[in-house]
Amino acid sequence: MTYDLTNRRVVPLDLDGVTDKAGLMDRCARALALPDWFGRNWDALADSLADSLSDRTVWPEGADGRGLLLVVRGWRAYADARPQEWATAQEVFAEAAERTPALTVALAVGGSAEHLTGQAGRSDRD
């Protein structure tokens, strides 16, 4: 498990290769280890992220009592392919974070983990 400097559980949400809402929901379910009953729709995602205060079984192991930092990476292709869906996803993430002080959602500027493999220390400006 990974934790940040404030001891929150860090969960990467890699959207590399995601081209639609179904793919986004599948990645969210996998990254957050959501239960089988997760509805794979915007409301279910919002509830899963924000309702952790009332249902502590929803967040990934290690986040209960510590907080959760969800790092979304590899999102640019999805945002370009489905701008309206991506706008909705951002609204869901933002509203969940506003409702739940223990939740932070960060959009990573860089690529996916696979894209970065073997690229450590390298920059386009080098």
Side-chain angles (χ1 to χ4, degrees):
M1 282 185 227
T2 305
Y3 298 92
D4 71 358
L5 296 175
T6 62
N7 208 28
R8 291 177 296 187
R9 173 79 160 88
V10 178
V11 173
L13 174 58
D14 193 346
L15 299 182
D16 189 40
V18 170
T19 59
D20 59 14
K21 179 181 169 187
L24 172 72
M25 293 297 166
D26 287 344
R27 294 283 177 93
C28 288
R30 192 174 325 134
L32 295 165
L34 295 174
D36 291 339
W37 49 261
F38 171 61
R40 287 180 164 69
N41 60 59
W42 298 121
D43 289 336
L45 180 59
D47 291 345
S48 295
L49 289 169
D51 289 348
S52 63
L53 296 177
S54 60
D55 183 0
R56 302 222 182 254
T57 64
V58 176
W59 275 11
E61 181 182 339
D64 182 25
R66 296 176 184 248
L68 177 65
L69 171 59
L70 182 63
V71 180
V72 184
R73 56 188 181 203
W75 54 269
R76 289 183 191 263
Y78 177 57
D80 290 342
R82 304 283 183 131
Q84 289 182 321
E85 284 181 15
W86 178 241
T88 302
Q90 289 181 89
E91 288 175 24
V92 167
F93 293 142
E95 288 175 15
E98 287 175 13
R99 288 178 20 202
T100 308
L103 172 66
T104 300
V105 179
L107 300 181
V109 177
S112 68
E114 291 81 16
H115 173 74
L116 298 176
T117 302
Q119 302 293 319
R122 209 174 134 211
S123 168
D124 289 339
R125 291 185 242 175
D126 288 344

